[in-house]
Amino acid sequence: MKVVLQNLTKKYPNRNRKIKQDVVAVNDFTFEIPDGKLIGLLGPSGCGKSTTLNLISGLEKPTSGHVFFGDDDVTNLPPENRGVGLVFQNYALYPHLTVQQNIMFPLQNLKGEAKLTKEQMIAKAREAANLVQLGDYMDRRPSELSGGQQQRVAIARALVKIPRVLLLDEPLSNLDARLRLQTREEIRRIQRETGITTIFVTHDQEEAMSISDMIVVMSAGVVQQIGQPQTVYDDPVNLFVAKFLGTPPINVFEGEVRSGRLYLAGDPVLEGLDVPDQAVFAGVRPEGFVLQPEGPMACGFTNVEVMGRDTSVVSTHPAAVSTTVRAIIGAENRVEPVDGLVRFALKPNKVFLFDAKTEERISFTIGGGRDHG
Ligand code: ADP
Ligand code: MG
């Protein structure tokens, strides 16, 4: 089922009564979610992710704008008539009911033609339980399951009516790291198997990047960028998006472009840029540094961290916005600081420039060559 958000806006009266101005939780969100895809809705806490999801589910009504499922305008439909499956952070299972009874629960109040016999309900519950690989746990109670299994029960319960759209709001936040990894792969598998259009909300960029067909990055109620995870990582539209994606995060420097050169703390580190003279923020991905004895960028060496396959060089730089600069280099490289300095050259396609005022991306090419923006 295709889902269309059309100029969707939601304002709330400020919770702080002294502030008269409304909170714009979602601001003019327009997006067509293709049928059968898994969309990761990503952004920091308070940016409007849950509100967006609640507008799609019908738990909230928009201040303005529309929601379509396929060609149906569902903006004024109550949640129970939209055919959505919902999963929240806290599994909200009934503790006194078994797995089977929990999964069957949404089927019990079906009316009229949709009404099912007990046998039909059990069969459907079993099917949903098998999908989340809990077929052998039908008689257990939630307290007898791990957190990951409980969340899978919640997912089975959301799937049992075969929803048109599956909405997951930070479903993995209560799980420990290992279970989080496992369960997110599980969600991806279930989504592929069922082909149900799914919107997955998270504040964890790695989580969103790893399982989504497309990600939507939000900040303060406003969509910043929509695209395939790798595309957004390689081609961020602004400093916010560049900083939000990637672990370790992008290194940001205050810099200046003069006569086609990028200067950081007075040193030219890239040449031949077709960018007018201006103050910029320069973002360098950790994998954008190349160790080079005569390299143009000199950093104060702090230490080396070996992390299996990669080596991380931690250093400082006077133009860096944060206290440390982190470079990832192949483990075969030897780091040999001279006079406490380690020198790098930069890979131009891993360097992004942003307007110092607007923080919007400035595209550039080097020496009339390939476009890096
Ligand atoms: P997220 O899920 O990304 O953390 P939310 O969608 O929950 O963000 O909230 C977005 C903004 O809207 C926040 O500033 C939040 O405080 C505000 N907000 C959410 N719900 C309400 C409400 N019922 N009343 C007032 N403000 C709200
Ligand atoms: Mg939320």
Side-chain angles (χ1 to χ4, degrees):
M1 176 69 51
K2 172 178 88 175
V3 176
V4 180
L5 313 182
Q6 203 179 72
N7 304 106
L8 213 52
T9 296
K10 178 69 180 181
K11 297 179 183 172
Y12 292 111
N14 206 299
R15 281 177 176 145
N16 180 346
R17 299 239 177 93
K18 286 185 193 138
I19 302 175
K20 285 279 169 279
Q21 206 172 7
D22 288 344
V23 173
V24 188
V26 178
N27 195 347
D28 201 23
F29 190 166
T30 295
F31 180 36
E32 183 171 320
I33 299 168
D35 179 35
K37 296 289 184 204
L38 195 162
I39 303 299
L41 186 52
L42 177 64
S45 176
C47 74
K49 304 180 297 294
S50 294
T51 305
T52 303
L53 217 63
N54 293 342
L55 293 171
I56 298 171
S57 71
L59 291 174
E60 297 276 2
K61 272 255 181 94
T63 310
S64 58
H66 292 267
V67 179
F68 295 87
F69 286 1
D71 295 327
D72 299 347
D73 186 340
V74 299
T75 315
N76 292 312
L77 272 189
E80 59 274 19
N81 297 345
R82 291 193 186 193
V84 291
L86 291 169
V87 178
F88 299 100
Q89 176 176 341
N90 47 355
Y91 334 117
L93 302 177
Y94 297 104
H96 58 288
L97 299 184
T98 63
V99 167
Q100 173 175 298
Q101 289 164 334
N102 266 288
I103 298 175
M104 269 165 49
F105 198 83
L107 300 175
Q108 277 166 349
N109 41 20
L110 293 176
K111 304 251 158 50
E113 277 183 24
K115 204 168 159 53
L116 299 173
T117 65
K118 183 92 187 282
E119 286 67 35
Q120 287 169 321
M121 284 191 251
I122 291 172
K124 280 185 186 289
R126 178 157 292 282
E127 226 172 284
N130 285 339
L131 194 60
V132 301
Q133 300 183 332
L134 284 177
D136 297 335
Y137 295 80
M138 294 300 259
D139 298 326
R140 300 239 189 140
R141 278 171 222 287
S143 61
E144 298 165 313
L145 300 174
S146 73
Q149 290 169 332
Q150 290 183 50
Q151 193 55 301
R152 274 147 60 193
V153 176
I155 294 168
R157 186 179 55 187
L159 290 172
V160 75
K161 275 168 126 178
I162 321 231
R164 301 202 281 177
V165 181
L166 180 63
L167 304 172
L168 307 159
D169 194 348
E170 313 233 12
L172 309 179
S173 302
N174 282 352
L175 306 181
D176 65 42
R178 201 175 53 84
L179 266 179
R180 226 170 22 234
L181 212 74
Q182 231 175 50
T183 313
R184 84 182 187 207
E185 282 158 16
E186 191 80 340
I187 288 174
R188 178 77 256 205
R189 178 187 61 77
I190 294 164
Q191 196 277 329
R192 285 231 168 88
E193 270 181 47
T194 59
I196 296 174
T197 308
T198 299
I199 303 165
F200 181 99
V201 162
T202 177
H203 61 269
D204 181 333
Q205 56 90 23
E206 196 203 328
E207 201 166 279
M209 300 262 290
S210 63
I211 67 166
S212 309
D213 295 309
M214 282 175 111
I215 55 171
V216 177
V217 184
M218 284 183 87
S219 167
V222 179
V223 172
Q224 306 291 309
Q225 191 166 1
I226 299 176
Q228 290 176 1
Q230 192 65 41
T231 308
V232 179
Y233 181 82
D234 289 335
D235 204 6
V237 298
N238 59 32
L239 184 58
F240 176 86
V241 174
K243 280 160 73 173
F244 202 73
L245 299 187
T247 36
I250 196 163
N251 300 284
V252 182
F253 303 87
E254 284 176 12
E256 196 186 354
V257 176
R258 263 187 289 133
S259 312
R261 290 199 172 109
L262 171 64
Y263 289 88
L264 301 183
D267 294 329
V269 296
L270 273 187
E271 307 205 344
L273 311 176
D274 57 349
V275 176
D277 291 4
Q278 61 191 296
V280 294
F281 284 114
V284 184
R285 292 275 183 218
E287 64 274 23
F289 296 89
V290 183
L291 269 182
Q292 213 173 71
E294 306 294 321
M297 189 160 173
C299 297
F301 177 73
T302 308
N303 66 297
V304 167
E305 290 170 6
V306 180
M307 309 170 300
R309 201 160 38 86
D310 294 321
T311 298
S312 173
V313 182
V314 184
S315 65
T316 59
H317 190 278
V321 169
S322 56
T323 48
T324 56
V325 173
R326 197 170 281 271
I328 305 272
I329 56 172
E332 70 283 2
N333 286 288
R334 286 182 66 89
V335 184
E336 288 164 337
V338 177
D339 298 331
L341 293 178
V342 57
R343 304 189 78 98
F344 298 103
L346 301 179
K347 296 179 192 165
N349 64 334
K350 293 289 178 182
V351 177
F352 305 123
L353 299 183
F354 305 93
D355 186 295
K357 284 208 189 68
T358 65
E359 303 192 353
E360 294 296 316
R361 174 89 170 278
I362 303 165
S363 298
F364 65 85
T365 56
I366 287 204
R370 201 158 63 84
D371 189 357
H372 295 294

